[in-house]
Amino acid sequence: METKSGDRRVRKTKTILRQGLVRLMSEKSIQEITVKELCCECDINRGTFYSHYADVYDLLQKIEEEMLCVLEEMIKEYSLLDVKGEAAPSPIMSSIFRFLAQNADMCRILLCNNGDMAFVEKVKDTVKNKFMSEWKIRVPENDNNKTSEYLYAFIVSGCIGVLQQWLISNGTQTPDEMAALVENLIVRGAANS
Amino acid sequence: METKSGDRRVRKTKTILRQGLVRLMSEKSIQEITVKELCCECDINRGTFYSHYADVYDLLQKIEEEMLCVLEEMIKEYSLLDVKGEAAPSPIMSSIFRFLAQNADMCRILLCNNGDMAFVEKVKDTVKNKFMSEWKIRVPENDNNKTSEYLYAFIVSGCIGVLQQWLISNGTQTPDEMAALVENLIVRGAANS
DNA sequence: ATAATAACAAACGCAGTGTTGATTATTTCC
DNA sequence: GGAAATAATCAACACTGCGTTTGTTATTAT
């Protein structure tokens, strides 16, 4: 049996507030959402909110932090290379797209439209670090290459772009299809796809 | 002689407010900036502000709109193809990077860190439309290809990523060098650079 | 020079903030 | 199961910024 940390009441309150914020953010941008409004929506006392969070941005940040945590854990379990040592980002991308599909509402809110730029930056950094740590072994001559940071910026931002497009357009492609598509773009190059 | 539209007082007020907002946004995110604070910073009556803008977000949007206008005008003047009809995004990229260099402070604020996601989306759309309208002629078989929208999303987002990296890291490369680098990434592919 | 208009100053009710103290309900731990 | 601890609630508080108004002064266009 799993031991969920803390008081049940606290857990309950936090969960309701998170869900409520996401619900409101699907209707309006974060700037327009007041603490009062959120608490009314969730039927939770305003004082209770302030005993957990400083403001709505603080709550949003907690949500983002948890999400980033999940992403990092997910990324850890995969390699960006296949058994031959060739670049193979497809498995990791597949798991990311599966996660996106399962949390489409929240991901769309955080990563698209009126999303949080700083958060997207953090996601990029996480993925970029993964790429750099695994590929620098494969392509050592890029290590001292000044332009390599731009190469990674291009690839990672490009991936985020594809992923945003998929979320926004409610793409019918499966996570595996998307992963294969992205791998093609990265390994074979954009112009040759 | 150029005929600047409207009353000199209005022009003056708007200019001061714009500069003031940019100044404040280099220190804190837009959410933390109040109308009162901005007006105090600019030494402008709060009532005067409200006679021009609804709130700070409205003012920011006006700034963004003007910037997008400049970008569109700039893009119009260049082609994405060379005389042989081959893909050659370098000239257009070069002009974009020159513009970024000249307006680095503002661009960094709007496009990086705590920037406005919706604005970046608009920039992407503008560039993406340019790409699609010129390249669909060159690669007609991609027209009915469902994956082509992802291809463009990848390329355009990748470009924005490089450009953000250059702004954030205060890159020493010249606009022309950056343009050549981006052209390489697009035409030859990321993995072959 | 005159009429139009923009910027200013001061004041207004209003809404949301963040905090407090007292009360009730739930949970933990023995 | 019962006592102590802790969380959620409610009502009230002063406070800050909002958005608007009215009357006055300064600047502009013609």
mmCIF file of all heavy atoms in Angstrom, chain A residues 70-110:
data_model
loop_
_atom_site.group_PDB
_atom_site.id
_atom_site.type_symbol
_atom_site.label_atom_id
_atom_site.label_comp_id
_atom_site.label_asym_id
_atom_site.label_seq_id
_atom_site.Cartn_x
_atom_site.Cartn_y
_atom_site.Cartn_z
ATOM 1 N N VAL A 70 8.300 14.805 -13.256
ATOM 2 C CA VAL A 70 7.855 13.626 -13.990
ATOM 3 C C VAL A 70 8.649 13.478 -15.275
ATOM 4 O O VAL A 70 9.113 12.384 -15.620
ATOM 5 C CB VAL A 70 6.344 13.728 -14.320
ATOM 6 C CG1 VAL A 70 5.917 12.577 -15.220
ATOM 7 C CG2 VAL A 70 5.524 13.742 -13.042
ATOM 8 N N LEU A 71 8.832 14.586 -15.973
ATOM 9 C CA LEU A 71 9.589 14.562 -17.223
ATOM 10 C C LEU A 71 11.015 14.069 -16.995
ATOM 11 O O LEU A 71 11.521 13.216 -17.728
ATOM 12 C CB LEU A 71 9.623 15.967 -17.838
ATOM 13 C CG LEU A 71 10.446 16.105 -19.123
ATOM 14 C CD1 LEU A 71 9.795 15.350 -20.263
ATOM 15 C CD2 LEU A 71 10.647 17.570 -19.507
ATOM 16 N N GLU A 72 11.643 14.592 -15.948
ATOM 17 C CA GLU A 72 13.024 14.199 -15.661
ATOM 18 C C GLU A 72 13.137 12.720 -15.347
ATOM 19 O O GLU A 72 14.066 12.044 -15.800
ATOM 20 C CB GLU A 72 13.575 15.052 -14.498
ATOM 21 C CG GLU A 72 14.074 16.410 -14.966
ATOM 22 C CD GLU A 72 14.297 17.378 -13.801
ATOM 23 O OE1 GLU A 72 14.016 16.987 -12.639
ATOM 24 O OE2 GLU A 72 14.750 18.510 -14.046
ATOM 25 N N GLU A 73 12.195 12.218 -14.563
ATOM 26 C CA GLU A 73 12.196 10.794 -14.230
ATOM 27 C C GLU A 73 12.020 9.946 -15.482
ATOM 28 O O GLU A 73 12.667 8.917 -15.650
ATOM 29 C CB GLU A 73 11.069 10.485 -13.232
ATOM 30 C CG GLU A 73 11.323 11.016 -11.830
ATOM 31 C CD GLU A 73 12.640 10.534 -11.256
ATOM 32 O OE1 GLU A 73 12.917 9.317 -11.357
ATOM 33 O OE2 GLU A 73 13.420 11.367 -10.739
ATOM 34 N N MET A 74 11.149 10.408 -16.347
ATOM 35 C CA MET A 74 10.854 9.689 -17.576
ATOM 36 C C MET A 74 12.095 9.617 -18.462
ATOM 37 O O MET A 74 12.409 8.570 -19.032
ATOM 38 C CB MET A 74 9.726 10.412 -18.313
ATOM 39 C CG MET A 74 8.776 9.527 -19.047
ATOM 40 S SD MET A 74 7.257 10.434 -19.423
ATOM 41 C CE MET A 74 7.878 11.819 -20.348
ATOM 42 N N ILE A 75 12.754 10.737 -18.575
ATOM 43 C CA ILE A 75 13.921 10.854 -19.447
ATOM 44 C C ILE A 75 15.082 9.982 -18.981
ATOM 45 O O ILE A 75 15.821 9.418 -19.795
ATOM 46 C CB ILE A 75 14.352 12.343 -19.532
ATOM 47 C CG1 ILE A 75 13.487 13.075 -20.565
ATOM 48 C CG2 ILE A 75 15.803 12.470 -19.876
ATOM 49 C CD1 ILE A 75 13.890 14.512 -20.758
ATOM 50 N N LYS A 76 15.198 9.875 -17.673
ATOM 51 C CA LYS A 76 16.299 9.095 -17.096
ATOM 52 C C LYS A 76 16.327 7.660 -17.603
ATOM 53 O O LYS A 76 17.380 7.061 -17.767
ATOM 54 C CB LYS A 76 16.150 9.056 -15.563
ATOM 55 C CG LYS A 76 16.907 10.149 -14.820
ATOM 56 C CD LYS A 76 16.823 9.889 -13.329
ATOM 57 C CE LYS A 76 17.182 11.154 -12.543
ATOM 58 N NZ LYS A 76 16.657 11.087 -11.155
ATOM 59 N N GLU A 77 15.140 7.119 -17.835
ATOM 60 C CA GLU A 77 15.030 5.685 -18.110
ATOM 61 C C GLU A 77 15.356 5.297 -19.542
ATOM 62 O O GLU A 77 15.375 4.124 -19.872
ATOM 63 C CB GLU A 77 13.606 5.203 -17.767
ATOM 64 C CG GLU A 77 13.258 5.424 -16.306
ATOM 65 C CD GLU A 77 11.866 4.907 -15.970
ATOM 66 O OE1 GLU A 77 11.268 4.215 -16.833
ATOM 67 O OE2 GLU A 77 11.383 5.201 -14.869
ATOM 68 N N TYR A 78 15.561 6.296 -20.391
ATOM 69 C CA TYR A 78 15.816 5.967 -21.791
ATOM 70 C C TYR A 78 17.184 6.478 -22.238
ATOM 71 O O TYR A 78 17.728 7.420 -21.662
ATOM 72 C CB TYR A 78 14.740 6.575 -22.704
ATOM 73 C CG TYR A 78 13.362 6.021 -22.465
ATOM 74 C CD1 TYR A 78 12.511 6.592 -21.529
ATOM 75 C CD2 TYR A 78 12.919 4.921 -23.193
ATOM 76 C CE1 TYR A 78 11.230 6.084 -21.318
ATOM 77 C CE2 TYR A 78 11.647 4.403 -22.993
ATOM 78 C CZ TYR A 78 10.813 4.992 -22.060
ATOM 79 O OH TYR A 78 9.564 4.481 -21.868
ATOM 80 N N SER A 79 17.678 5.864 -23.281
ATOM 81 C CA SER A 79 18.911 6.343 -23.893
ATOM 82 C C SER A 79 18.593 6.980 -25.239
ATOM 83 O O SER A 79 17.577 6.666 -25.861
ATOM 84 C CB SER A 79 19.878 5.181 -24.102
ATOM 85 O OG SER A 79 20.956 5.602 -24.913
ATOM 86 N N LEU A 80 19.458 7.878 -25.649
ATOM 87 C CA LEU A 80 19.262 8.514 -26.953
ATOM 88 C C LEU A 80 20.038 7.788 -28.039
ATOM 89 O O LEU A 80 20.103 8.233 -29.173
ATOM 90 C CB LEU A 80 19.701 9.985 -26.891
ATOM 91 C CG LEU A 80 18.695 10.932 -26.238
ATOM 92 C CD1 LEU A 80 19.333 12.270 -25.924
ATOM 93 C CD2 LEU A 80 17.502 11.128 -27.159
ATOM 94 N N LEU A 81 20.663 6.651 -27.653
ATOM 95 C CA LEU A 81 21.441 5.877 -28.613
ATOM 96 C C LEU A 81 20.891 4.452 -28.708
ATOM 97 O O LEU A 81 20.377 3.916 -27.720
ATOM 98 C CB LEU A 81 22.907 5.822 -28.165
ATOM 99 C CG LEU A 81 23.571 7.174 -27.875
ATOM 100 C CD1 LEU A 81 24.954 6.967 -27.295
ATOM 101 C CD2 LEU A 81 23.624 8.019 -29.135
ATOM 102 N N ASP A 82 21.019 3.856 -29.882
ATOM 103 C CA ASP A 82 20.609 2.458 -30.003
ATOM 104 C C ASP A 82 21.785 1.543 -29.663
ATOM 105 O O ASP A 82 22.844 2.013 -29.250
ATOM 106 C CB ASP A 82 20.050 2.171 -31.408
ATOM 107 C CG ASP A 82 21.104 2.379 -32.493
ATOM 108 O OD1 ASP A 82 22.308 2.457 -32.149
ATOM 109 O OD2 ASP A 82 20.722 2.483 -33.665
ATOM 110 N N VAL A 83 21.584 0.236 -29.828
ATOM 111 C CA VAL A 83 22.617 -0.726 -29.424
ATOM 112 C C VAL A 83 23.919 -0.547 -30.200
ATOM 113 O O VAL A 83 24.997 -0.912 -29.737
ATOM 114 C CB VAL A 83 22.121 -2.187 -29.583
ATOM 115 C CG1 VAL A 83 21.131 -2.515 -28.490
ATOM 116 C CG2 VAL A 83 21.512 -2.399 -30.960
ATOM 117 N N LYS A 84 23.804 0.017 -31.406
ATOM 118 C CA LYS A 84 25.012 0.228 -32.218
ATOM 119 C C LYS A 84 25.696 1.547 -31.885
ATOM 120 O O LYS A 84 26.721 1.896 -32.467
ATOM 121 C CB LYS A 84 24.649 0.216 -33.714
ATOM 122 C CG LYS A 84 24.061 -1.102 -34.198
ATOM 123 C CD LYS A 84 23.655 -0.992 -35.676
ATOM 124 C CE LYS A 84 22.956 -2.254 -36.142
ATOM 125 N NZ LYS A 84 22.355 -2.075 -37.490
ATOM 126 N N GLY A 85 25.078 2.299 -30.993
ATOM 127 C CA GLY A 85 25.655 3.594 -30.641
ATOM 128 C C GLY A 85 25.226 4.702 -31.583
ATOM 129 O O GLY A 85 25.738 5.812 -31.539
ATOM 130 N N GLU A 86 24.251 4.364 -32.448
ATOM 131 C CA GLU A 86 23.745 5.386 -33.366
ATOM 132 C C GLU A 86 22.663 6.230 -32.682
ATOM 133 O O GLU A 86 21.982 5.758 -31.777
ATOM 134 C CB GLU A 86 23.138 4.713 -34.608
ATOM 135 C CG GLU A 86 24.122 3.929 -35.443
ATOM 136 C CD GLU A 86 25.100 4.842 -36.177
ATOM 137 O OE1 GLU A 86 24.668 5.901 -36.675
ATOM 138 O OE2 GLU A 86 26.302 4.502 -36.241
ATOM 139 N N ALA A 87 22.512 7.462 -33.125
ATOM 140 C CA ALA A 87 21.481 8.347 -32.581
ATOM 141 C C ALA A 87 20.103 7.741 -32.784
ATOM 142 O O ALA A 87 19.735 7.401 -33.910
ATOM 143 C CB ALA A 87 21.554 9.711 -33.253
ATOM 144 N N ALA A 88 19.349 7.600 -31.684
ATOM 145 C CA ALA A 88 18.005 7.011 -31.762
ATOM 146 C C ALA A 88 17.108 7.653 -30.706
ATOM 147 O O ALA A 88 16.829 7.056 -29.677
ATOM 148 C CB ALA A 88 18.074 5.501 -31.575
ATOM 149 N N PRO A 89 16.669 8.870 -30.985
ATOM 150 C CA PRO A 89 15.856 9.592 -30.000
ATOM 151 C C PRO A 89 14.401 9.113 -29.959
ATOM 152 O O PRO A 89 13.626 9.569 -29.121
ATOM 153 C CB PRO A 89 15.920 11.045 -30.493
ATOM 154 C CG PRO A 89 16.168 10.938 -31.956
ATOM 155 C CD PRO A 89 16.963 9.695 -32.169
ATOM 156 N N SER A 90 14.053 8.180 -30.840
ATOM 157 C CA SER A 90 12.657 7.775 -30.973
ATOM 158 C C SER A 90 12.024 7.205 -29.697
ATOM 159 O O SER A 90 10.893 7.568 -29.356
ATOM 160 C CB SER A 90 12.533 6.803 -32.144
ATOM 161 O OG SER A 90 11.469 5.928 -31.969
ATOM 162 N N PRO A 91 12.703 6.300 -28.966
ATOM 163 C CA PRO A 91 12.065 5.757 -27.758
ATOM 164 C C PRO A 91 11.707 6.837 -26.742
ATOM 165 O O PRO A 91 10.612 6.859 -26.196
ATOM 166 C CB PRO A 91 13.152 4.833 -27.185
ATOM 167 C CG PRO A 91 13.997 4.466 -28.345
ATOM 168 C CD PRO A 91 14.006 5.669 -29.232
ATOM 169 N N ILE A 92 12.636 7.739 -26.500
ATOM 170 C CA ILE A 92 12.393 8.789 -25.520
ATOM 171 C C ILE A 92 11.290 9.731 -26.001
ATOM 172 O O ILE A 92 10.433 10.167 -25.223
ATOM 173 C CB ILE A 92 13.712 9.565 -25.242
ATOM 174 C CG1 ILE A 92 13.696 10.076 -23.822
ATOM 175 C CG2 ILE A 92 13.924 10.701 -26.207
ATOM 176 C CD1 ILE A 92 15.060 10.547 -23.365
ATOM 177 N N MET A 93 11.288 10.036 -27.270
ATOM 178 C CA MET A 93 10.241 10.905 -27.813
ATOM 179 C C MET A 93 8.878 10.224 -27.723
ATOM 180 O O MET A 93 7.865 10.860 -27.437
ATOM 181 C CB MET A 93 10.536 11.249 -29.283
ATOM 182 C CG MET A 93 11.713 12.166 -29.515
ATOM 183 S SD MET A 93 11.626 13.720 -28.579
ATOM 184 C CE MET A 93 10.100 14.417 -29.133
ATOM 185 N N SER A 94 8.886 8.940 -27.951
ATOM 186 C CA SER A 94 7.634 8.187 -27.879
ATOM 187 C C SER A 94 7.026 8.280 -26.479
ATOM 188 O O SER A 94 5.825 8.479 -26.306
ATOM 189 C CB SER A 94 7.900 6.728 -28.257
ATOM 190 O OG SER A 94 6.711 5.984 -28.155
ATOM 191 N N SER A 95 7.883 8.141 -25.477
ATOM 192 C CA SER A 95 7.373 8.218 -24.098
ATOM 193 C C SER A 95 6.876 9.621 -23.779
ATOM 194 O O SER A 95 5.877 9.799 -23.074
ATOM 195 C CB SER A 95 8.465 7.805 -23.108
ATOM 196 O OG SER A 95 9.418 8.822 -22.943
ATOM 197 N N ILE A 96 7.549 10.625 -24.305
ATOM 198 C CA ILE A 96 7.104 12.008 -24.096
ATOM 199 C C ILE A 96 5.747 12.233 -24.742
ATOM 200 O O ILE A 96 4.845 12.810 -24.139
ATOM 201 C CB ILE A 96 8.147 13.012 -24.658
ATOM 202 C CG1 ILE A 96 9.403 13.006 -23.802
ATOM 203 C CG2 ILE A 96 7.540 14.410 -24.743
ATOM 204 C CD1 ILE A 96 10.512 13.912 -24.286
ATOM 205 N N PHE A 97 5.585 11.741 -25.955
ATOM 206 C CA PHE A 97 4.302 11.938 -26.643
ATOM 207 C C PHE A 97 3.178 11.160 -25.954
ATOM 208 O O PHE A 97 2.039 11.613 -25.919
ATOM 209 C CB PHE A 97 4.409 11.545 -28.120
ATOM 210 C CG PHE A 97 4.918 12.656 -28.992
ATOM 211 C CD1 PHE A 97 6.233 12.682 -29.417
ATOM 212 C CD2 PHE A 97 4.076 13.694 -29.355
ATOM 213 C CE1 PHE A 97 6.696 13.726 -30.207
ATOM 214 C CE2 PHE A 97 4.532 14.731 -30.151
ATOM 215 C CZ PHE A 97 5.848 14.749 -30.574
ATOM 216 N N ARG A 98 3.504 10.000 -25.405
ATOM 217 C CA ARG A 98 2.491 9.262 -24.655
ATOM 218 C C ARG A 98 2.049 10.060 -23.431
ATOM 219 O O ARG A 98 0.863 10.142 -23.118
ATOM 220 C CB ARG A 98 3.020 7.887 -24.237
ATOM 221 C CG ARG A 98 2.767 6.800 -25.272
ATOM 222 C CD ARG A 98 2.959 5.409 -24.676
ATOM 223 N NE ARG A 98 4.304 5.204 -24.152
ATOM 224 C CZ ARG A 98 5.338 4.792 -24.882
ATOM 225 N NH1 ARG A 98 5.179 4.544 -26.159
ATOM 226 N NH2 ARG A 98 6.522 4.643 -24.339
ATOM 227 N N PHE A 99 3.036 10.648 -22.771
ATOM 228 C CA PHE A 99 2.711 11.469 -21.604
ATOM 229 C C PHE A 99 1.851 12.675 -21.992
ATOM 230 O O PHE A 99 0.879 13.014 -21.318
ATOM 231 C CB PHE A 99 4.001 11.948 -20.919
ATOM 232 C CG PHE A 99 3.766 12.847 -19.746
ATOM 233 C CD1 PHE A 99 3.360 12.336 -18.527
ATOM 234 C CD2 PHE A 99 3.934 14.225 -19.866
ATOM 235 C CE1 PHE A 99 3.133 13.169 -17.444
ATOM 236 C CE2 PHE A 99 3.704 15.066 -18.790
ATOM 237 C CZ PHE A 99 3.303 14.524 -17.575
ATOM 238 N N LEU A 100 2.202 13.314 -23.085
ATOM 239 C CA LEU A 100 1.427 14.455 -23.577
ATOM 240 C C LEU A 100 -0.016 14.059 -23.854
ATOM 241 O O LEU A 100 -0.949 14.775 -23.504
ATOM 242 C CB LEU A 100 2.049 15.002 -24.864
ATOM 243 C CG LEU A 100 3.367 15.754 -24.754
ATOM 244 C CD1 LEU A 100 3.822 16.182 -26.134
ATOM 245 C CD2 LEU A 100 3.242 16.955 -23.838
ATOM 246 N N ALA A 101 -0.165 12.878 -24.477
ATOM 247 C CA ALA A 101 -1.504 12.419 -24.827
ATOM 248 C C ALA A 101 -2.349 12.196 -23.578
ATOM 249 O O ALA A 101 -3.530 12.523 -23.535
ATOM 250 C CB ALA A 101 -1.412 11.125 -25.638
ATOM 251 N N GLN A 102 -1.692 11.654 -22.553
ATOM 252 C CA GLN A 102 -2.434 11.359 -21.316
ATOM 253 C C GLN A 102 -2.758 12.614 -20.515
ATOM 254 O O GLN A 102 -3.697 12.622 -19.715
ATOM 255 C CB GLN A 102 -1.623 10.392 -20.450
ATOM 256 C CG GLN A 102 -1.773 8.939 -20.880
ATOM 257 C CD GLN A 102 -0.745 8.045 -20.219
ATOM 258 O OE1 GLN A 102 0.087 8.517 -19.454
ATOM 259 N NE2 GLN A 102 -0.811 6.752 -20.529
ATOM 260 N N ASN A 103 -1.960 13.651 -20.687
ATOM 261 C CA ASN A 103 -2.193 14.898 -19.945
ATOM 262 C C ASN A 103 -2.384 16.069 -20.894
ATOM 263 O O ASN A 103 -1.870 17.170 -20.662
ATOM 264 C CB ASN A 103 -1.016 15.180 -18.995
ATOM 265 C CG ASN A 103 -0.711 14.026 -18.085
ATOM 266 O OD1 ASN A 103 -0.135 13.021 -18.498
ATOM 267 N ND2 ASN A 103 -1.119 14.144 -16.845
ATOM 268 N N ALA A 104 -3.129 15.803 -21.947
ATOM 269 C CA ALA A 104 -3.237 16.775 -23.037
ATOM 270 C C ALA A 104 -3.745 18.136 -22.553
ATOM 271 O O ALA A 104 -3.183 19.171 -22.913
ATOM 272 C CB ALA A 104 -4.148 16.229 -24.133
ATOM 273 N N ASP A 105 -4.791 18.129 -21.757
ATOM 274 C CA ASP A 105 -5.366 19.395 -21.293
ATOM 275 C C ASP A 105 -4.329 20.259 -20.593
ATOM 276 O O ASP A 105 -4.117 21.422 -20.947
ATOM 277 C CB ASP A 105 -6.538 19.126 -20.331
ATOM 278 C CG ASP A 105 -7.758 18.601 -21.061
ATOM 279 O OD1 ASP A 105 -7.820 18.787 -22.291
ATOM 280 O OD2 ASP A 105 -8.620 18.010 -20.405
ATOM 281 N N MET A 106 -3.688 19.669 -19.595
ATOM 282 C CA MET A 106 -2.711 20.432 -18.826
ATOM 283 C C MET A 106 -1.519 20.849 -19.679
ATOM 284 O O MET A 106 -1.058 21.981 -19.609
ATOM 285 C CB MET A 106 -2.246 19.631 -17.623
ATOM 286 C CG MET A 106 -1.228 20.369 -16.799
ATOM 287 S SD MET A 106 -0.960 19.643 -15.195
ATOM 288 C CE MET A 106 -2.591 19.602 -14.520
ATOM 289 N N CYS A 107 -1.032 19.934 -20.516
ATOM 290 C CA CYS A 107 0.127 20.235 -21.356
ATOM 291 C C CYS A 107 -0.181 21.363 -22.326
ATOM 292 O O CYS A 107 0.652 22.231 -22.567
ATOM 293 C CB CYS A 107 0.577 18.995 -22.109
ATOM 294 S SG CYS A 107 1.294 17.747 -21.024
ATOM 295 N N ARG A 108 -1.382 21.327 -22.874
ATOM 296 C CA ARG A 108 -1.761 22.373 -23.815
ATOM 297 C C ARG A 108 -1.742 23.739 -23.108
ATOM 298 O O ARG A 108 -1.307 24.735 -23.656
ATOM 299 C CB ARG A 108 -3.148 22.070 -24.398
ATOM 300 C CG ARG A 108 -3.344 22.681 -25.785
ATOM 301 C CD ARG A 108 -4.688 22.300 -26.385
ATOM 302 N NE ARG A 108 -4.782 20.891 -26.723
ATOM 303 C CZ ARG A 108 -5.629 20.035 -26.167
ATOM 304 N NH1 ARG A 108 -6.463 20.449 -25.247
ATOM 305 N NH2 ARG A 108 -5.641 18.773 -26.539
ATOM 306 N N ILE A 109 -2.206 23.737 -21.877
ATOM 307 C CA ILE A 109 -2.245 24.984 -21.103
ATOM 308 C C ILE A 109 -0.848 25.494 -20.781
ATOM 309 O O ILE A 109 -0.564 26.682 -20.872
ATOM 310 C CB ILE A 109 -3.038 24.761 -19.795
ATOM 311 C CG1 ILE A 109 -4.530 24.651 -20.114
ATOM 312 C CG2 ILE A 109 -2.782 25.872 -18.798
ATOM 313 C CD1 ILE A 109 -5.350 24.124 -18.968
ATOM 314 N N LEU A 110 0.031 24.578 -20.407
ATOM 315 C CA LEU A 110 1.361 24.994 -19.964
ATOM 316 C C LEU A 110 2.318 25.267 -21.115
ATOM 317 O O LEU A 110 3.216 26.095 -21.009
ATOM 318 C CB LEU A 110 1.976 23.934 -19.049
ATOM 319 C CG LEU A 110 1.277 23.709 -17.713
ATOM 320 C CD1 LEU A 110 1.987 22.621 -16.927
ATOM 321 C CD2 LEU A 110 1.227 25.003 -16.906
#
